[in-house]
Amino acid sequence: NAGVMQNPRHLVRRRGQEARLRCSPMKGHSHVYWYRQLPEEGLKFMVYLQKENIIDESGMPKERFSAEFPKEGPSILRIQQVVRGDSAAYFCASSPGTGFAGELFFGEGSRLTVL
Amino acid sequence: EDKVVQSPLSLVVHEGDTVTLNCSYEVTNFRSLLWYKQEKKAPTFLFMLTSSGIEKKSGRLSSILDKKELFSILNITATQTGDSAIYLCAVDYGGSQGNLIFGKGTKLSVKP
């Protein structure tokens, strides 16, 4: 399956713990985007990354959240000292490096539950 | 504030019915409007619209954009139970690439 792969699909953390969500883009894609979907809300943009670069992090909370997309390996969304309000579905999407036509290819999401 | 509003939020129909889903938007620098279908898995792309009045069609689904009135509709004819999903509307408002504003979605349930 050459689609966008996210893991874990489900993650349970207690308040104060760290959550790490991983995303491998579609084969041949070098741009990654993270979105968050809170209950009863639409998808909200968090961050746009290219390999080794954060292009736009305007949607990231200022504290506790960070994202990276290293030269090798998946993109990681890291949430430190999680709180109950972080419980949400986190979706990753990818697109080609060139010839972007507006379409994002989404993964199946990682559902974080904070107890 | 830029926003995308979808209506209705939920809809129940029977197989064979035709449905129309609505998406209105207010954004500072419109580039395109996209429709996605979200079942229990990944949102999957349906259409991207950039020009007014030009219908995009794929099988029983079609969509059109009105840039003067700032809305789009998604039509599904002869609905099937497999059409049951949340339909998402998103707008590229001129931010960075891939930075879209999504509506809350319309949950469509098609009963046999």
Side-chain angles (χ1 to χ4, degrees):
Chain A
N1 186 344
V4 178
M5 302 301 293
Q6 291 189 246
N7 67 83
R9 294 291 314 282
H10 300 276
L11 182 64
V12 179
R13 286 287 179 266
R14 295 190 180 280
R15 282 179 296 171
Q17 292 184 319
E18 179 179 287
R20 286 193 180 213
L21 309 177
R22 289 175 290 278
C23 170
S24 295
M26 186 175 281
K27 188 176 182 181
H29 287 186
S30 59
H31 295 196
V32 165
Y33 315 82
W34 285 93
Y35 278 78
R36 177 165 66 173
Q37 187 174 40
L38 294 167
E40 308 302 321
E41 294 292 325
L43 289 160
K44 303 287 188 193
F45 171 82
M46 298 182 75
V47 62
Y48 162 33
L49 309 108
Q50 297 175 16
K51 286 283 188 181
E52 300 184 282
N53 283 304
I54 298 174
I55 306 303
D56 178 2
E57 56 181 350
S58 60
M60 288 277 273
K62 298 291 184 231
E63 298 177 345
R64 302 187 297 107
F65 284 72
S66 62
E68 63 176 5
F69 189 16
K71 186 176 180 180
E72 301 292 337
S75 175
I76 306 277
L77 179 67
R78 182 184 178 200
I79 311 171
Q80 296 178 288
Q81 299 176 313
V82 296
V83 300
R84 288 214 175 112
D86 297 332
S87 295
Y90 292 83
F91 286 89
C92 172
S94 71
S95 69
T98 57
F100 179 69
E103 178 182 352
L104 299 181
F105 295 82
F106 282 89
E108 296 187 0
S110 292
R111 280 157 179 80
L112 172 65
T113 300
V114 179
L115 301 178
Chain B
E1 181 184 348
D2 296 326
K3 62 180 179 181
V4 175
V5 178
Q6 292 187 246
S7 63
L9 292 181
S10 66
L11 187 58
V12 180
V13 300
H14 288 93
E15 274 191 315
D17 288 350
T18 294
V19 298
T20 298
L21 310 182
N22 304 291
C23 176
S24 63
Y25 62 90
E26 292 181 29
V27 300
T28 49
N29 186 19
F30 178 88
R31 284 188 191 155
S32 63
L33 184 145
L34 301 95
W35 285 96
Y36 282 84
K37 178 182 181 182
Q38 185 179 21
E39 296 172 87
K40 291 187 177 179
K41 299 180 179 180
T44 54
F45 174 80
L46 294 175
F47 300 110
M48 184 172 77
L49 304 150
T50 56
S51 301
S52 275
I54 299 175
E55 185 183 54
K56 292 276 183 97
K57 196 170 173 64
S58 176
R60 296 177 294 103
L61 278 65
S62 63
S63 183
I64 198 161
L65 173 68
D66 186 328
K67 291 169 72 173
K68 182 179 179 184
E69 300 297 329
L70 308 183
F71 77 92
S72 173
I73 59 172
L74 176 68
N75 279 321
I76 309 175
T77 59
T79 51
Q80 303 171 358
T81 55
D83 295 326
S84 295
I86 298 174
Y87 290 84
L88 304 172
C89 174
V91 170
D92 183 340
Y93 69 104
S96 65
Q97 176 176 299
N99 185 343
L100 306 176
I101 299 176
F102 278 82
K104 292 184 178 182
T106 293
K107 183 177 181 180
L108 174 65
S109 299
V110 181
K111 303 295 185 187

PDB file of all heavy atoms in Angstrom, chain B residues 64-85:
ATOM      1  N   ILE B  64     -20.429  22.149  -8.281  1.00  0.00           N
ATOM      2  CA  ILE B  64     -20.304  23.399  -8.999  1.00  0.00           C
ATOM      3  C   ILE B  64     -19.992  24.507  -8.004  1.00  0.00           C
ATOM      4  O   ILE B  64     -20.335  24.404  -6.826  1.00  0.00           O
ATOM      5  CB  ILE B  64     -21.584  23.698  -9.811  1.00  0.00           C
ATOM      6  CG1 ILE B  64     -21.316  24.746 -10.886  1.00  0.00           C
ATOM      7  CG2 ILE B  64     -22.743  24.099  -8.898  1.00  0.00           C
ATOM      8  CD1 ILE B  64     -22.362  24.756 -11.975  1.00  0.00           C
ATOM      9  N   LEU B  65     -19.344  25.533  -8.502  1.00  0.00           N
ATOM     10  CA  LEU B  65     -18.895  26.639  -7.655  1.00  0.00           C
ATOM     11  C   LEU B  65     -19.508  27.952  -8.145  1.00  0.00           C
ATOM     12  O   LEU B  65     -19.600  28.174  -9.353  1.00  0.00           O
ATOM     13  CB  LEU B  65     -17.368  26.738  -7.714  1.00  0.00           C
ATOM     14  CG  LEU B  65     -16.674  27.907  -7.035  1.00  0.00           C
ATOM     15  CD1 LEU B  65     -16.815  27.805  -5.520  1.00  0.00           C
ATOM     16  CD2 LEU B  65     -15.206  27.947  -7.441  1.00  0.00           C
ATOM     17  N   ASP B  66     -19.925  28.782  -7.209  1.00  0.00           N
ATOM     18  CA  ASP B  66     -20.417  30.118  -7.531  1.00  0.00           C
ATOM     19  C   ASP B  66     -19.553  31.121  -6.761  1.00  0.00           C
ATOM     20  O   ASP B  66     -19.739  31.325  -5.566  1.00  0.00           O
ATOM     21  CB  ASP B  66     -21.890  30.257  -7.132  1.00  0.00           C
ATOM     22  CG  ASP B  66     -22.502  31.585  -7.565  1.00  0.00           C
ATOM     23  OD1 ASP B  66     -21.773  32.600  -7.611  1.00  0.00           O
ATOM     24  OD2 ASP B  66     -23.708  31.623  -7.841  1.00  0.00           O
ATOM     25  N   LYS B  67     -18.605  31.744  -7.460  1.00  0.00           N
ATOM     26  CA  LYS B  67     -17.662  32.645  -6.793  1.00  0.00           C
ATOM     27  C   LYS B  67     -18.268  34.009  -6.508  1.00  0.00           C
ATOM     28  O   LYS B  67     -17.737  34.765  -5.711  1.00  0.00           O
ATOM     29  CB  LYS B  67     -16.399  32.790  -7.635  1.00  0.00           C
ATOM     30  CG  LYS B  67     -15.566  31.513  -7.673  1.00  0.00           C
ATOM     31  CD  LYS B  67     -14.473  31.559  -8.692  1.00  0.00           C
ATOM     32  CE  LYS B  67     -13.347  32.475  -8.312  1.00  0.00           C
ATOM     33  NZ  LYS B  67     -12.219  32.369  -9.270  1.00  0.00           N
ATOM     34  N   LYS B  68     -19.378  34.301  -7.135  1.00  0.00           N
ATOM     35  CA  LYS B  68     -20.056  35.572  -6.856  1.00  0.00           C
ATOM     36  C   LYS B  68     -20.832  35.485  -5.551  1.00  0.00           C
ATOM     37  O   LYS B  68     -20.751  36.371  -4.710  1.00  0.00           O
ATOM     38  CB  LYS B  68     -21.001  35.924  -8.001  1.00  0.00           C
ATOM     39  CG  LYS B  68     -21.722  37.244  -7.820  1.00  0.00           C
ATOM     40  CD  LYS B  68     -22.625  37.561  -8.995  1.00  0.00           C
ATOM     41  CE  LYS B  68     -23.354  38.880  -8.766  1.00  0.00           C
ATOM     42  NZ  LYS B  68     -24.313  39.167  -9.866  1.00  0.00           N
ATOM     43  N   GLU B  69     -21.542  34.373  -5.391  1.00  0.00           N
ATOM     44  CA  GLU B  69     -22.325  34.178  -4.176  1.00  0.00           C
ATOM     45  C   GLU B  69     -21.539  33.428  -3.092  1.00  0.00           C
ATOM     46  O   GLU B  69     -22.055  33.190  -2.009  1.00  0.00           O
ATOM     47  CB  GLU B  69     -23.621  33.430  -4.496  1.00  0.00           C
ATOM     48  CG  GLU B  69     -24.522  34.151  -5.480  1.00  0.00           C
ATOM     49  CD  GLU B  69     -25.010  35.485  -4.931  1.00  0.00           C
ATOM     50  OE1 GLU B  69     -25.181  35.600  -3.693  1.00  0.00           O
ATOM     51  OE2 GLU B  69     -25.218  36.424  -5.721  1.00  0.00           O
ATOM     52  N   LEU B  70     -20.344  33.024  -3.401  1.00  0.00           N
ATOM     53  CA  LEU B  70     -19.430  32.392  -2.444  1.00  0.00           C
ATOM     54  C   LEU B  70     -19.976  31.081  -1.876  1.00  0.00           C
ATOM     55  O   LEU B  70     -20.055  30.886  -0.657  1.00  0.00           O
ATOM     56  CB  LEU B  70     -19.092  33.356  -1.297  1.00  0.00           C
ATOM     57  CG  LEU B  70     -18.586  34.742  -1.689  1.00  0.00           C
ATOM     58  CD1 LEU B  70     -18.240  35.545  -0.441  1.00  0.00           C
ATOM     59  CD2 LEU B  70     -17.393  34.653  -2.618  1.00  0.00           C
ATOM     60  N   PHE B  71     -20.364  30.182  -2.762  1.00  0.00           N
ATOM     61  CA  PHE B  71     -20.783  28.870  -2.289  1.00  0.00           C
ATOM     62  C   PHE B  71     -20.551  27.818  -3.351  1.00  0.00           C
ATOM     63  O   PHE B  71     -20.318  28.115  -4.529  1.00  0.00           O
ATOM     64  CB  PHE B  71     -22.265  28.886  -1.867  1.00  0.00           C
ATOM     65  CG  PHE B  71     -23.234  28.852  -3.006  1.00  0.00           C
ATOM     66  CD1 PHE B  71     -23.730  27.650  -3.491  1.00  0.00           C
ATOM     67  CD2 PHE B  71     -23.670  30.033  -3.595  1.00  0.00           C
ATOM     68  CE1 PHE B  71     -24.622  27.620  -4.544  1.00  0.00           C
ATOM     69  CE2 PHE B  71     -24.565  30.010  -4.655  1.00  0.00           C
ATOM     70  CZ  PHE B  71     -25.042  28.798  -5.136  1.00  0.00           C
ATOM     71  N   SER B  72     -20.630  26.587  -2.882  1.00  0.00           N
ATOM     72  CA  SER B  72     -20.534  25.426  -3.768  1.00  0.00           C
ATOM     73  C   SER B  72     -21.585  24.407  -3.328  1.00  0.00           C
ATOM     74  O   SER B  72     -21.971  24.373  -2.156  1.00  0.00           O
ATOM     75  CB  SER B  72     -19.145  24.803  -3.685  1.00  0.00           C
ATOM     76  OG  SER B  72     -19.079  23.594  -4.417  1.00  0.00           O
ATOM     77  N   ILE B  73     -22.037  23.589  -4.257  1.00  0.00           N
ATOM     78  CA  ILE B  73     -22.915  22.484  -3.918  1.00  0.00           C
ATOM     79  C   ILE B  73     -22.313  21.183  -4.440  1.00  0.00           C
ATOM     80  O   ILE B  73     -21.592  21.168  -5.447  1.00  0.00           O
ATOM     81  CB  ILE B  73     -24.341  22.665  -4.481  1.00  0.00           C
ATOM     82  CG1 ILE B  73     -24.332  22.792  -6.002  1.00  0.00           C
ATOM     83  CG2 ILE B  73     -25.024  23.851  -3.842  1.00  0.00           C
ATOM     84  CD1 ILE B  73     -25.722  22.778  -6.615  1.00  0.00           C
ATOM     85  N   LEU B  74     -22.604  20.137  -3.701  1.00  0.00           N
ATOM     86  CA  LEU B  74     -22.230  18.786  -4.097  1.00  0.00           C
ATOM     87  C   LEU B  74     -23.520  17.992  -4.243  1.00  0.00           C
ATOM     88  O   LEU B  74     -24.294  17.899  -3.294  1.00  0.00           O
ATOM     89  CB  LEU B  74     -21.325  18.141  -3.044  1.00  0.00           C
ATOM     90  CG  LEU B  74     -20.937  16.687  -3.273  1.00  0.00           C
ATOM     91  CD1 LEU B  74     -20.028  16.555  -4.485  1.00  0.00           C
ATOM     92  CD2 LEU B  74     -20.244  16.113  -2.036  1.00  0.00           C
ATOM     93  N   ASN B  75     -23.758  17.485  -5.431  1.00  0.00           N
ATOM     94  CA  ASN B  75     -24.953  16.691  -5.695  1.00  0.00           C
ATOM     95  C   ASN B  75     -24.605  15.221  -5.788  1.00  0.00           C
ATOM     96  O   ASN B  75     -23.592  14.851  -6.395  1.00  0.00           O
ATOM     97  CB  ASN B  75     -25.597  17.108  -7.017  1.00  0.00           C
ATOM     98  CG  ASN B  75     -26.453  18.351  -6.869  1.00  0.00           C
ATOM     99  OD1 ASN B  75     -27.151  18.524  -5.884  1.00  0.00           O
ATOM    100  ND2 ASN B  75     -26.380  19.228  -7.852  1.00  0.00           N
ATOM    101  N   ILE B  76     -25.450  14.393  -5.221  1.00  0.00           N
ATOM    102  CA  ILE B  76     -25.314  12.951  -5.367  1.00  0.00           C
ATOM    103  C   ILE B  76     -26.669  12.423  -5.828  1.00  0.00           C
ATOM    104  O   ILE B  76     -27.678  12.591  -5.131  1.00  0.00           O
ATOM    105  CB  ILE B  76     -24.921  12.254  -4.049  1.00  0.00           C
ATOM    106  CG1 ILE B  76     -23.696  12.925  -3.421  1.00  0.00           C
ATOM    107  CG2 ILE B  76     -24.636  10.767  -4.307  1.00  0.00           C
ATOM    108  CD1 ILE B  76     -23.329  12.359  -2.052  1.00  0.00           C
ATOM    109  N   THR B  77     -26.698  11.825  -6.997  1.00  0.00           N
ATOM    110  CA  THR B  77     -27.943  11.274  -7.520  1.00  0.00           C
ATOM    111  C   THR B  77     -28.000   9.773  -7.250  1.00  0.00           C
ATOM    112  O   THR B  77     -26.967   9.118  -7.047  1.00  0.00           O
ATOM    113  CB  THR B  77     -28.058  11.517  -9.029  1.00  0.00           C
ATOM    114  OG1 THR B  77     -26.935  10.900  -9.672  1.00  0.00           O
ATOM    115  CG2 THR B  77     -28.066  13.002  -9.352  1.00  0.00           C
ATOM    116  N   ALA B  78     -29.225   9.239  -7.225  1.00  0.00           N
ATOM    117  CA  ALA B  78     -29.438   7.793  -7.045  1.00  0.00           C
ATOM    118  C   ALA B  78     -28.554   7.256  -5.922  1.00  0.00           C
ATOM    119  O   ALA B  78     -27.761   6.327  -6.116  1.00  0.00           O
ATOM    120  CB  ALA B  78     -29.162   7.056  -8.349  1.00  0.00           C
ATOM    121  N   THR B  79     -28.710   7.838  -4.730  1.00  0.00           N
ATOM    122  CA  THR B  79     -27.817   7.489  -3.621  1.00  0.00           C
ATOM    123  C   THR B  79     -27.848   6.002  -3.296  1.00  0.00           C
ATOM    124  O   THR B  79     -28.871   5.316  -3.484  1.00  0.00           O
ATOM    125  CB  THR B  79     -28.192   8.278  -2.357  1.00  0.00           C
ATOM    126  OG1 THR B  79     -29.602   8.118  -2.104  1.00  0.00           O
ATOM    127  CG2 THR B  79     -27.854   9.748  -2.508  1.00  0.00           C
ATOM    128  N   GLN B  80     -26.704   5.527  -2.800  1.00  0.00           N
ATOM    129  CA  GLN B  80     -26.546   4.143  -2.386  1.00  0.00           C
ATOM    130  C   GLN B  80     -26.042   4.131  -0.944  1.00  0.00           C
ATOM    131  O   GLN B  80     -25.505   5.129  -0.467  1.00  0.00           O
ATOM    132  CB  GLN B  80     -25.537   3.437  -3.308  1.00  0.00           C
ATOM    133  CG  GLN B  80     -25.918   3.481  -4.774  1.00  0.00           C
ATOM    134  CD  GLN B  80     -24.815   2.972  -5.681  1.00  0.00           C
ATOM    135  OE1 GLN B  80     -23.721   2.615  -5.231  1.00  0.00           O
ATOM    136  NE2 GLN B  80     -25.104   2.916  -6.970  1.00  0.00           N
ATOM    137  N   THR B  81     -26.200   2.996  -0.276  1.00  0.00           N
ATOM    138  CA  THR B  81     -25.753   2.930   1.122  1.00  0.00           C
ATOM    139  C   THR B  81     -24.253   3.212   1.234  1.00  0.00           C
ATOM    140  O   THR B  81     -23.790   3.754   2.233  1.00  0.00           O
ATOM    141  CB  THR B  81     -26.066   1.558   1.744  1.00  0.00           C
ATOM    142  OG1 THR B  81     -25.502   0.537   0.934  1.00  0.00           O
ATOM    143  CG2 THR B  81     -27.572   1.350   1.840  1.00  0.00           C
ATOM    144  N   GLY B  82     -23.518   2.897   0.205  1.00  0.00           N
ATOM    145  CA  GLY B  82     -22.081   3.167   0.213  1.00  0.00           C
ATOM    146  C   GLY B  82     -21.725   4.644   0.153  1.00  0.00           C
ATOM    147  O   GLY B  82     -20.571   5.018   0.341  1.00  0.00           O
ATOM    148  N   ASP B  83     -22.717   5.475  -0.107  1.00  0.00           N
ATOM    149  CA  ASP B  83     -22.478   6.924  -0.101  1.00  0.00           C
ATOM    150  C   ASP B  83     -22.504   7.483   1.317  1.00  0.00           C
ATOM    151  O   ASP B  83     -22.168   8.651   1.534  1.00  0.00           O
ATOM    152  CB  ASP B  83     -23.532   7.651  -0.939  1.00  0.00           C
ATOM    153  CG  ASP B  83     -23.469   7.299  -2.410  1.00  0.00           C
ATOM    154  OD1 ASP B  83     -22.349   7.054  -2.916  1.00  0.00           O
ATOM    155  OD2 ASP B  83     -24.543   7.246  -3.051  1.00  0.00           O
ATOM    156  N   SER B  84     -22.919   6.673   2.281  1.00  0.00           N
ATOM    157  CA  SER B  84     -22.958   7.124   3.676  1.00  0.00           C
ATOM    158  C   SER B  84     -21.550   7.499   4.121  1.00  0.00           C
ATOM    159  O   SER B  84     -20.625   6.682   4.054  1.00  0.00           O
ATOM    160  CB  SER B  84     -23.520   6.029   4.580  1.00  0.00           C
ATOM    161  OG  SER B  84     -24.861   5.752   4.265  1.00  0.00           O
ATOM    162  N   ALA B  85     -21.391   8.728   4.562  1.00  0.00           N
ATOM    163  CA  ALA B  85     -20.068   9.242   4.937  1.00  0.00           C
ATOM    164  C   ALA B  85     -20.236  10.672   5.418  1.00  0.00           C
ATOM    165  O   ALA B  85     -21.337  11.232   5.390  1.00  0.00           O
ATOM    166  CB  ALA B  85     -19.125   9.226   3.737  1.00  0.00           C
TER     167      ALA B  85
END
